[in-house]
Every structure is written in C-alpha cells, then in structure tokens.
Amino acid sequence: MGEARRLIINDRELVFEPGETILAVARRHHIDIPTLCHLKGASPTGACRICVVEVAGAQTLLTACNTKVEAGMQVQTESSTVVAARKRIIQLMLGSGNHNCAVRGSDHPEWTAFQIKVQGEDGSNRLCPVWGDCRLQDLAYRYQVSGERFDATPLRYPMETVNPFIVRDFSRCINCGRCVQACNEVQVNNAIRFGYRGPESKIIAAGDRPLKDSACVFCGECVQVCPVGALVEKDVRYAVRPWETQKVRTTCSYCGVGCQLYLHVKDNRVVKVTGADAAPNHGSLCVKGRFGYHFINSPERLAEPLIKEHGRFRKASWDEALDLVAQRFKQIRDTHGGDRMGVLVSARMTNEENYVAQKFARTVLKTNNVDHCARLCHASTVAGLAASFGSGAMTNPIADLDHSEVILITGANSSETHPVIGARIKRAVRKGPTRLIVIDPRDIPLARFAALKLTPRPGTDVAWINGLMHVILKERWHDPDFIRRRTEGFEALAQALEKYTPDFVEGITGIPAADLVAAARLYAGAKPASIIYCMGITQHTTGTDNVKSLANLAMLTGNLGIPGGGVNPLRGQNNVQGACDMGGLPNVYSGYQAVADAAVVEKMERAWEVPGLSTRPGWTATEMIPKAHSGELKALYIIGENPMLSDPDLNHTEKSLKQLDFLVVQDIFLTETARLADVVLPSACFAEKEGTFTNTERRVQRVRRAVNPPGQARPDWRITADLAGRMGFSMDYKDAQGIFEEMGRVTPGYAGISYNRIEIDGLCWPCPGPEHPGTPVLHTEKFTRGLGRFHAVAFQPPAELPDEAYPFTLTTGRLLYHYHTGTMTMKSDGLNERAPECRVEICAQDARRLGIADGQRVSVRSRRGAIVAKAAVSNGILPGVAIIPFHFAAAAANRLTHAALDPVCFIPELKVCAVALAPADDSPKEAASANAYDRGLPSSSRFSMANQNGIKSCDLNNRLFPCNKSAPKVEACKPNEVKGEKP
C-alpha cells in the first residue's frame, strides 16, 4: 500500500482505496463533511455545494462528494474559507423560498428559530411540518446563519396536495435533486425529473402533471430522502412532530422481502413508517410498507372474543370463549379422533406462533392435519426444489442480484408484488452489465428493462423451459463438468428434450422460435445467471413440474451454488417461508423433519414430553376443504387465514366451511371467513408483539412490539398456549424468546440463531451452531440431497382450456396497492383511492370485438360462478386472456377459479381457467345474480380439456392423480345450494 494510497484530512494521515471520493474517505474515518444533495447509492452531483472543502494547490474549493482522492492530497474540511463559503450557500438557500425557520429577530441577537412561526396553507400560523427534522435547519443552526440577508424568492408554484400520500411544497424545495436521484437511480421508477430552467426550475413529473396522474408508484423514497420540508407524508403534515414520536424497528408484515422499517409511535398509535438502512431493503419501502399501516389503528379491529348464538355474534370473556373451544375440541377429538380435526396456521403469524400452533395440533389434537396458505402459493416450490436439490427454498440472497450477469424472471410481476426486489433488478440492469429476460404472458413493468421479452400462452411453462434446454444442449452451451460432478438423471432428461425443438415449442406456447433461441443463448452464455419466479409458475396443476423444469435449467448451465446464480422463488407473504420452516405443513415438523420418520417422532416426543405423536401425514388445506364438505373433517381452527377469499371455487369453499361441526377463527379483523365461525378470537397484529419472521431469502429477522393491542386482543401464541392448557397440555412459555429457544433445540437449521445474534441484522438459515455465520448461498459444495437430480418432465396442458362456451383464459394476479385478501390494505384510504375496485384486464383487440370500452362494467362467467368488474383495456396482454386481481370480495376472482390440483403438492390451478366475457347489464337483476352458477353445461364437462397440439383430452382425475394416493373429490356447489350462516 505504502505512500501511494495516503492523504491528509484535517492534519490526519489516512489511507484510501482507489476510486474513493474525499467524502467517502472522510466518512469512513468518522470525519463529518456536511451534505444536502448527496445520496447513498446514487451518482454524486455536487449540486448543493455544501460539501466544499479546501484542497492544497487547488484554485477553488472542491466538492468532496464527487472529487476523487489522489495520493498526497491535503484537505481541510472546516477552514475559515470553507466555513464562509458554506454560510453563503446556506443563506442563499434560506432566501430561496419559505425557509424562515432560521430567522434572527431584531430583539433576539441569538438563535430564535424555536419562536418563529410560518404560515400554513389554511392561513394559520404553524411551525414548518419538518421543524426539528430538517437538514437545512440543522446546518443553519450549526453555522449560525439566517436567511435575512437576501430577499425571499417569490413563490412561483402552488402546493400539490391532490394525491393521497405526499404533499409537494415547492416553496420549500432547494432543488438539491435528491428526490430525482431516489426515484431514478434507487427505485428506478423514472417518474420525476428537473423541469424548466434558471429561477423557474422545479421538480416535475412527465408533462408537469400531478403525481397522481404520472408514473409515480408512491413508494415514498423521495419523501424519505428530502432534506427539507418540500416533500412530506400527507397524514403526518402538521399532525405529528419528530420529537413527539418513538421509533421502533421491526420487520414489514406485507410481502416476503422482509423489509426493515421503523414504526413511529405517538400515544400508542403508529403515525408514520420509514425505512431502516439495513438488509434487505437498505431504507427503501413500497407504497404498502410505507403508507399501508392504518390497519394497525383501525377501529374495525377485533378487540373481544365473539361467540355465535342463534346465527348472531355476541361478545364474550376470554374464559368463556376458550372454555367453549376447549370443551368442543375435546368432545370432537374424543368422539371422532384427532384426524377429523384440522388447523390452518398463517404466513402472517411469527415463527414462534406458527411453531406453537403446529405443536398444539400434534400434541393436543393428535393430528398432523396442519397447513397454511403456502399450499395455495408455493407448495409446488417446496415439492419441486426439494425433489431437485433437497431443499425447497430460495437458493441465493436478494443482494446477489447485483452480481448476476443475466436475470431470467418468469411468472413474477415483481414491480407490483415485491417492489423492493423489482427495484433491485432495475438497478442491476441500469448500472450494468446485468441483462434481463422476462418471460410472462403479459407486459409487466419490468419488461421495459428487458433485453428479451417472451410472451407464452398461460399454462405452457414446461414447454418453453424444455425448449430452452433443447437449444442449450443442441448448441453445446451446457456445463458438462457441473453435470458430471454434481448431478444425476441427465441422460433421461436429454432424451426427453429431443422433441422440444423451437418450432414444436412455438406451436404450444406461441413464442417465436427465433426468440426462444435468442433467450437460450443469452441465459446459457452468462455465469452467474439467476432465475426468479413466483406464482405464475407455481399455481398450476403442473406447478411441481414447472419448478422442477426451472431447476433442470439452472443445473444444466451450472448456475447453482455460486453468488449471483440460483433458482429463487419469491415468497408472496411476510412469513410464508417461516411458516413452512416451523412445520406448518401436514407432512413435516419444524425444519422439514418428516412426521413419518420414526426417529424424528421419537425425538419430538422426548422434546415435547408427550407420547403417541401421529406418524400419518395429515391432510393439506386443499384436502381439508372438500373433506369438510363430505363430513370427514369435523372441526377446523383457522389462525390468520381467509380462505373465503383466497381459496379457489369459493362457492364450494363456503358450503364446505358451513358443513363443519365447529369452526374457530383467530384473526385481527372479522374477515369473510370469521363471519362463518362459531367462535372468533381476537389476536394482536405484527406491531403489537415480539417474535421473528423469515423472509424469502431465508433471513430470520426480529419483529418488535411498538404499540399495545386493541381491547383484549392477545398474541396468537398466548391464545393457543392458553387453549392447550385448558385441554390438559401445558405450554407454559414466558415469552416469545422462550419459544424461539425451544424451536432452536428441535430445528437443526435454526439451532445457531438467537435473539441476540439477530438484534441488528438477520441470519440466513441453515445456521447449525452459535458461531456459524449463516448460509446466504445454498448448495455451494454439494446439494442438500447430495447430488442434484434432473427430472424428465413432459408438457401437459392446463386442466381447463377455453372452448366455444368459455373462450377466454382467466389468470389471477395481484395489484401494487393491495395485498392478499385486502384485510390490511383496504383499511388505508390512500391505497383504496389508488385501487378502489376490481378491474378485469383484457387486450384492446378483444375489447373492440366484444364492444367493451375501458371502464365499462363487464360480466365474467366461468362454470362455477360469475362476477361483475370494470374493464381495463390494455395493450400489454395476449388476445384471449383476461387477468383479474383476487383482492376484492365484492368481485372475488376465486368465484371463477377451479379446484383442479397438482397431483404432487395439491396446489390449485389458480392461474388458468376458462371464462366468458360480455358487457354487463347494469340492472339490479344482473348485479344480484353476479355470483350465480352457470348452468349451461353438465358437471361432467366441468374440467374437460381441449385437444391441442396433438394432446388427447382426458378426465381430471385420470390425468391429475395417477399415483396411488386418491385425489380429494371436488364437488361443484351452486350458490342457491349454499345455506345461510348456521345457528
């Protein structure tokens, strides 16, 4: 290193790295150089000039943020010349707008900012909305500067308040450009930029339109980085002062990214949310994470237990409610056996709560009938990746996307479902050299950043994946050394791929043969290359095959066990990974230890001090519902799940739940499912309890209590433990940490994780010991199962294809502004304003043919039901395809979907079914019959498949369930057969 990498700052000799700026070196050595425009992760601009420093030999002061260090430099950061320059700059800024928070009064020779008022837009005198949290104010105080020296600049632009989230006060803008960089370089939304010139300059959206009419997605990154009061959260402006709140760091409760955030609390209410500068999000949030917190304080929260009598709920005490549940559960267990009961745990509960709930099912109810919403989203991931690699989880961390040469994303609309990951992908592409391949039936926002965009027909994934591999093998672009050393089953795969020529694949998928070859060349020519997918891959009758095929593709090219590579499923909910890890599945205990393994059962019996644990794998969620319908399942304990919106074929689901002898729902709101319950138990939400979540990259992170739960609501683990005690099994846990410690003792992958170790940053499992650093990248030396296994997978069409009566293919999806069944997001007015109702997306060509205009009401019918929704006419969707989000109870997409299941993991095919579209009759009769069952076809043809590409039609059960295990029988339910709530 020597003298070549040394410089002097403020008489201190320091070492620098090549390419570092003066500011970077100073900050690394804890020397404060003030800035206003500099933004971490963005290109330095030097626009504000607050960071000027004096460099020996330089003719002028230099901006530290963008001046590269040279050997032998001598820098002064607070010389008299530097301080004088900074004072002048601050004075100009204070005089450039409404910044009179730092005026010196004539009768106050010293600092008097605290006594100075500014006038609000309603004419009242108020302090600036960010008084006490303003970087410009801090600098004015630091350098004892006021703005009186210069005349105030006339206000040129009115305040913008017409969007639901952000107030734009141009009178306070100092044109530092941080918001522009945050939008364009960090979030890469490209929604705002500098507009006009000279003194007329301002930050504008395209066409100088309001944010609500622009490309803005309201992630709020601009608000968080604004150093003054020009951008403020609308809900907080003039309502809360920074010093009035307490900040509590926790983990976001929406998607599986696991963003770290601060809840700002005042008077036991969450009043604001900001991003924490930690992995995986490093300060960034999405619109839901930042502005979708109102459900915490909602007056609709459940606050007391409810018992249904004569078809109506009444309030009850905890003792009365839990005694009733314990008595009925014991009665059903002792009369019919524990295997006639079931428990649905939840991806929205903590790890600790999921662990307690599955333990309750197995020790108290004596059943392995335990499952959760992963059955509906990523059961095929768990099954497919476990079969291929031995582990059913994301192989690489989110941060690895920065190092991928190629990212192939399929079946995932990350910009809306996982926006922080979507932004990371966009940043990787923007900064280069990462190239992006998007393979999706619609033009998702990420397609604008793609080097290649392929558009397959829905439900044809195995065909195009096999086609890519066919080309890679034919052109010898595969990795024979990796295949030889680390895999098995290659010969069978190679033989199965022979017929998937580009032309053959084009006939099935609609992807032009040349585009398929180009995608194969791009993906195979890169190392590392990452595959990202979500429910567009998993929610099919061939979901497990789809996942195995993606695993085949990654192994074929050797893109596993290396940073920047891997097969990376994005989990849809905050703790769906953790719920699986904790044994919220019917065939495994925590840590994926098989319930049928005698050694594992003996281990768990010793640890739990209970004999007679069942060795029979339990029923899945998609088996429990039809078994409730048939009367085989007598009782169901649902914690934090809402199958009355999330399950397929809701008419059938509703009738099935009403057939139960006893239904208990434990939730934070009276959901559509809770309304059917015999007993409803009020639980605490994520902001009201301690615990951990495990995000999509297997990172275990802390959840912390910020406020008290409403009324008598309790953490889920306390409710379940109390219930266990009333049924004769002691779960005497002191707190969540005590549960976590027990979890670690019986769960090998979590054995080395403790609350102390994850107090600041989370750890990725497996972490087998207290000194182990965690495992961000899986399968580096060998696969969990030893050798990776290739699976020869053949294309099979979806269970229900379009025909003359139902000519459209329906696929379901999610919206940026809502989450899952809307239980949480629909409590925020701003989110509802941005996405107020269900819309069915169809292509312009189909809309013209059907005589449907954008915004017109459309009737959508399937063989199971019908809904009415407004049309969203688009140029980004294939003809013959319709897309509907599943969030809205008033137009529930799952009234239309069918319950055909993957034969391996029993996930329903929510991504493909046949529907008919027509302009809706706006009469009351049409609205009243919107959910009516279509009686036009006999039930025997309900799941018939069209002859396509030479594949013969076949019956659902014959095709989907060739294995010995019998398929759950699915009976169609007509709404007129569904009775009212049971007494």
Side-chain angles (χ1 to χ4, degrees):
M1 191 176 296
E3 298 298 321
R5 293 189 185 174
R6 296 183 181 275
L7 81 161
I8 295 173
I9 301 181
N10 296 346
D11 302 322
R12 289 175 58 189
E13 187 174 74
L14 305 173
V15 175
F16 68 91
E17 298 296 327
E20 279 192 298
T21 63
I22 295 173
L23 180 64
V25 176
R27 287 187 171 178
R28 188 158 52 79
H29 291 89
H30 309 291
I31 298 171
D32 179 41
I33 298 176
T35 65
L36 280 174
C37 70
H38 184 263
L39 182 63
K40 180 181 176 181
S43 306
T45 64
C48 71
R49 298 196 61 78
I50 288 293
C51 68
V52 291
V53 293
E54 190 172 0
V55 177
Q59 295 182 349
T60 61
L61 298 179
L62 302 179
T63 48
C65 67
N66 59 2
T67 300
K68 298 291 179 66
V69 174
E70 297 177 3
M73 257 187 181
Q74 297 185 36
V75 181
Q76 291 293 324
T77 68
E78 293 286 338
S79 67
S80 58
T81 304
V82 168
V83 169
R86 287 183 187 154
K87 284 186 173 183
R88 285 194 297 274
I89 294 166
I90 294 167
Q91 286 172 337
L92 286 167
M93 287 183 176
L94 291 173
S96 69
N98 191 3
H99 302 293
N100 56 346
C101 59
V103 175
R104 295 177 190 267
S106 58
D107 57 339
H108 292 275
E110 300 301 327
W111 186 258
T112 59
F114 202 96
Q115 303 170 36
I116 304 300
K117 306 283 187 178
V118 299
Q119 185 166 306
E121 64 267 29
D122 61 356
S124 61
N125 286 328
R126 291 170 168 170
L127 285 170
C128 172
V130 296
W131 201 99
D133 190 27
C134 173
R135 184 62 175 149
L136 179 59
Q137 184 187 44
D138 293 341
L139 291 174
Y141 181 85
R142 173 174 171 174
Y143 291 103
Q144 294 291 286
V145 177
S146 74
E148 293 175 313
R149 180 174 176 180
F150 301 100
D151 293 335
T153 304
L155 304 184
R156 292 185 175 86
Y157 304 109
M159 188 180 301
E160 181 189 318
T161 61
V162 294
N163 73 75
F165 303 113
I166 300 169
V167 173
R168 302 172 75 199
D169 186 347
F170 296 101
S171 74
R172 302 186 195 280
C173 180
I174 58 173
N175 282 345
C176 66
R178 279 170 66 94
C179 60
V180 175
Q181 288 189 294
C183 183
N184 298 339
E185 294 189 46
V186 178
Q187 289 281 355
V188 200
N189 290 323
N190 302 320
I192 58 175
R193 60 181 176 82
F194 280 100
Y196 309 110
R197 295 183 179 181
E200 305 294 325
S201 178
K202 66 179 285 199
I203 309 299
I204 64 169
D208 199 8
R209 295 190 294 267
L211 290 182
K212 72 180 183 66
D213 300 323
S214 74
C216 177
V217 294
F218 297 101
C219 65
E221 190 89 20
C222 58
V223 177
Q224 183 153 321
V225 304
C226 180
V228 291
L231 296 166
V232 181
E233 299 94 337
K234 198 169 188 177
D235 281 355
V236 177
R237 183 178 171 84
Y238 294 130
V240 179
R241 295 293 172 192
W243 61 84
E244 296 175 333
T245 65
Q246 176 187 1
K247 290 200 306 184
V248 179
R249 180 173 159 183
T250 191
T251 303
C252 184
S253 65
Y254 282 113
C255 78
V257 176
C259 291
Q260 295 299 286
L261 50 78
Y262 290 107
L263 300 178
H264 297 245
V265 178
K266 177 185 178 183
D267 298 333
N268 197 45
R269 293 176 63 86
V270 175
V271 295
K272 176 179 174 178
V273 176
T274 54
D277 189 6
N281 54 307
H282 300 287
S284 295
L285 296 173
C286 74
V287 63
K288 295 184 291 290
R290 191 180 303 276
F291 297 113
Y293 59 84
H294 300 87
F295 73 92
I296 301 169
N297 309 322
S298 171
E300 297 178 37
R301 286 285 302 277
L302 289 169
E304 295 172 290
L306 303 174
I307 293 176
K308 185 177 288 178
E309 290 181 347
H310 308 295
R312 298 177 65 87
F313 285 116
R314 66 167 177 83
K315 295 178 181 178
S317 68
W318 273 110
D319 283 338
E320 182 185 13
L322 290 177
D323 282 345
L324 174 60
V325 174
Q327 179 252 324
R328 293 288 285 123
F329 276 0
K330 282 192 288 187
Q331 182 184 50
I332 294 169
R333 180 195 64 191
D334 296 344
T335 303
H336 301 285
D339 284 338
R340 294 300 183 93
M341 309 174 74
V343 177
L344 294 183
V345 299
S346 177
R348 283 174 289 285
M349 294 198 298
T350 63
N351 287 322
E352 294 79 357
E353 290 167 329
N354 277 292
Y355 176 83
V356 168
Q358 62 87 31
K359 180 180 177 180
F360 170 82
R362 289 167 166 132
T363 59
V364 180
L365 300 184
K366 298 295 186 182
T367 183
N368 288 316
N369 294 340
V370 183
D371 209 357
H372 71 292
C373 65
R375 187 64 48 195
L376 305 176
C377 57
H378 274 287
S380 38
T381 285
V382 176
L385 293 187
S388 297
F389 306 149
S391 174
M394 191 168 172
T395 63
N396 289 61
I398 295 167
D400 265 17
L401 294 171
D402 297 345
H403 311 296
S404 301
E405 289 187 16
V406 163
I407 298 171
L408 188 160
I409 185 165
T410 180
N413 185 7
S414 301
S415 297
E416 298 200 50
T417 60
H418 302 82
V420 170
I421 289 179
R424 190 150 208 151
I425 294 170
K426 291 185 288 186
R427 283 199 302 275
V429 173
R430 183 184 182 277
K431 292 180 179 180
T434 303
R435 303 187 74 188
L436 179 64
I437 303 171
V438 173
I439 306 180
D440 200 277
R442 65 192 295 203
D443 278 340
I444 61 174
L446 279 177
R448 297 195 298 270
F449 297 83
L452 278 173
K453 167 62 169 70
L454 309 186
T455 308
R457 298 184 182 106
T460 62
D461 300 294
V462 166
W464 65 256
I465 300 169
N466 280 353
L468 289 179
M469 292 190 288
H470 172 96
V471 173
I472 290 169
L473 277 178
K474 179 183 176 183
E475 300 297 332
R476 301 181 182 274
W477 294 334
H478 59 295
D479 188 335
D481 182 61
F482 182 91
I483 294 167
R484 176 183 55 80
R485 290 186 300 106
R486 299 201 52 189
T487 69
E488 60 184 358
F490 172 69
E491 292 76 13
L493 173 71
Q495 183 177 356
L497 295 178
E498 289 180 0
K499 72 175 182 179
Y500 289 91
T501 65
D503 289 337
F504 177 74
V505 171
E506 181 175 355
I508 297 172
T509 67
I511 297 172
D515 290 351
L516 189 79
V517 173
R521 179 184 295 109
L522 183 55
Y523 176 79
K527 190 170 285 188
S530 175
I531 296 173
I532 292 176
Y533 71 89
C534 200
M535 285 172 279
I537 287 291
T538 61
Q539 290 179 328
H540 294 273
T541 50
T542 58
T544 304
D545 284 349
N546 292 347
V547 173
K548 288 177 178 177
S549 297
L550 290 175
N552 288 343
L553 177 61
M555 289 190 290
L556 188 69
T557 54
N559 274 302
L560 283 159
I562 55 176
V567 179
N568 299 298
L570 302 184
R571 297 297 192 134
Q573 298 184 46
N574 57 300
N575 200 35
V576 70
Q577 182 65 58
C580 293
D581 297 345
M582 291 301 104
L585 298 168
N587 61 330
V588 292
Y589 295 107
S590 62
Y592 306 96
Q593 302 169 95
V595 300
D597 187 323
V600 170
V601 171
E602 183 182 355
K603 166 189 170 180
M604 301 308 292
E605 288 179 341
R606 286 198 311 268
W608 290 344
E609 298 179 351
V610 60
L613 293 178
S614 174
T615 58
R616 170 195 167 282
W619 292 329
T620 65
T622 47
E623 289 175 296
M624 289 188 217
I625 296 302
K627 287 185 183 295
H629 183 271
S630 68
E632 293 177 78
L633 188 73
K634 301 295 184 182
L636 192 54
Y637 180 18
I638 300 178
I639 311 173
E641 295 283 313
N642 190 14
M644 274 305 301
L645 271 186
S646 61
D647 277 24
D649 195 356
L650 289 181
N651 295 325
H652 178 266
T653 299
E654 183 175 3
K655 185 174 183 182
S656 299
L657 292 176
K658 289 180 177 181
Q659 291 287 99
L660 290 165
D661 289 355
F662 194 61
L663 174 62
V664 178
V665 174
Q666 189 169 299
D667 215 316
I668 64 175
F669 290 103
L670 192 66
T671 63
E672 290 78 6
T673 304
R675 294 187 186 111
L676 302 180
D678 296 286
V679 178
V680 178
L681 304 175
S683 57
C685 77
F686 86 110
E688 299 154 356
K689 56 192 174 186
E690 299 286 326
T692 56
F693 292 153
T694 304
N695 79 342
T696 190
E697 62 182 348
R698 298 171 283 105
R699 184 185 296 270
V700 184
Q701 303 182 110
R702 280 299 314 277
V703 176
R704 297 176 179 86
R705 178 172 174 164
V707 294
N708 298 324
Q712 299 178 37
R714 297 177 178 179
D716 290 290
W717 71 264
R718 286 194 183 276
I719 301 171
T720 306
D722 193 346
L723 179 58
R726 292 167 194 260
M727 295 183 68
F729 185 86
S730 175
M731 290 190 184
D732 190 20
Y733 298 111
K734 179 182 177 182
D735 52 27
Q737 185 171 357
I739 302 170
F740 192 90
E741 290 167 358
E742 179 180 307
M743 284 161 37
R745 290 193 292 271
V746 299
T747 311
Y750 280 65
I753 304 175
S754 66
Y755 275 29
N756 287 338
R757 291 195 71 191
I758 59 174
E759 182 63 26
I760 304 300
D761 291 310
L763 288 169
C764 295
W765 66 257
C767 182
E771 304 302 321
H772 194 281
T775 312
V777 180
L778 294 178
H779 318 307
T780 53
E781 300 296 328
K782 66 177 183 178
F783 289 98
T784 306
R785 69 181 302 276
L787 294 175
R789 182 171 184 80
F790 285 108
H791 292 87
V793 176
F795 167 70
Q796 297 182 73
E800 185 177 68
L801 293 175
D803 56 23
E804 187 175 350
Y806 298 93
F808 282 83
T809 295
L810 171 68
T811 188
T812 60
R814 300 188 180 201
L815 299 177
L816 171 64
Y817 296 101
H818 284 301
Y819 170 75
H820 207 242
T821 61
T823 304
M824 300 190 299
T825 50
M826 290 182 186
K827 304 302 184 292
S828 292
D829 291 341
L831 297 176
N832 288 331
E833 181 178 325
R834 295 299 295 172
E837 59 190 337
C838 183
R839 303 196 75 178
V840 52
E841 185 178 352
I842 58 175
C843 78
Q845 176 183 334
D846 287 333
R848 285 193 299 270
R849 179 171 54 82
L850 296 172
I852 294 172
D854 187 63
Q856 183 177 347
R857 285 162 53 84
V858 177
S859 172
V860 188
R861 293 180 176 273
S862 76
R863 293 180 172 90
R864 291 151 296 279
I867 64 172
V868 173
K870 286 187 177 179
V873 179
S874 167
N875 291 317
I877 186 172
L878 285 170
V881 175
I883 299 176
I884 299 179
F886 78 103
H887 312 293
F888 300 92
N894 282 328
R895 294 278 177 197
L896 309 170
T897 56
H898 64 86
L901 304 178
D902 180 298
V904 177
C905 68
F906 295 88
I907 193 171
E909 188 155 59
L910 298 173
K911 284 295 181 277
V912 179
C913 74
V915 297
L917 277 65
D921 179 358
D922 288 327
S923 69
K925 180 180 178 181
E926 170 74 20
S929 63
N931 289 326
Y933 187 88
D934 190 318
R935 300 174 179 83
L937 290 174
S939 59
S940 61
S941 64
R942 194 164 164 254
F943 294 116
S944 64
M945 299 194 310
N947 186 305
Q948 184 180 28
N949 300 310
I951 298 171
K952 295 181 179 179
S953 299
C954 56
D955 176 76
L956 169 71
N957 287 339
N958 289 339
R959 184 175 76 84
L960 284 183
F961 301 97
C963 54
N964 292 330
K965 185 173 183 180
S966 61
K969 185 178 180 181
V970 179
E971 177 182 341
C973 287
K974 303 180 183 181
N976 64 330
E977 295 178 332
V978 178
K979 309 299 182 186
E981 292 182 346
K982 61 187 177 184

